[in-house]
Amino acid sequence: MGEQEAPGPFDLGVLRTPKGLLLSAELDFLRAVSGTLVFLVVALAAIAAARDALAAITFTFGLVLAALFAFDAFVTYRTQLAPARDGDPDADSA
């Protein structure tokens, strides 16, 4: 019962450390940026492929989703990445 479990192939304990918290924030930022790029490409491809009403709706919906992902990337950067890169004294002491 008091024995430590051997780490498996995916040791998720690193995500609890300060470096792991920064890594998860960077992955969240990467997800938001890649989502923005994917939806922008899909929106532009939809409007370039056809000029009918369905393509215009797809283009508009793609732009709205790209804007939401861009806002998510902005918020993630401002709240999680920028304070860690500015040399926050609380982050160094942990």
Side-chain angles (χ1 to χ4, degrees):
M1 216 145 92
E3 295 179 20
Q4 188 94 7
E5 286 186 29
F10 302 108
D11 184 22
L12 299 178
V14 73
L15 294 177
R16 293 184 190 98
T17 64
K19 184 177 181 181
L21 291 174
L22 182 63
L23 178 67
S24 67
E26 289 172 346
L27 289 176
D28 192 31
F29 181 70
L30 180 65
R31 175 200 51 83
V33 168
S34 63
T36 302
L37 293 176
V38 165
F39 279 113
L40 278 176
V41 167
V42 167
L44 291 174
I47 201 69
R51 301 280 181 189
D52 58 350
L54 184 60
I57 292 171
T58 305
F59 175 73
T60 305
F61 188 67
L63 285 182
V64 168
L65 287 177
L68 286 175
F69 271 99
F71 179 73
D72 184 32
F74 173 73
V75 169
T76 300
Y77 180 78
R78 293 282 299 208
T79 59
Q80 295 179 2
L81 294 178
R85 296 187 194 270
D86 288 340
D88 188 19
D90 294 334
D92 293 335
S93 64

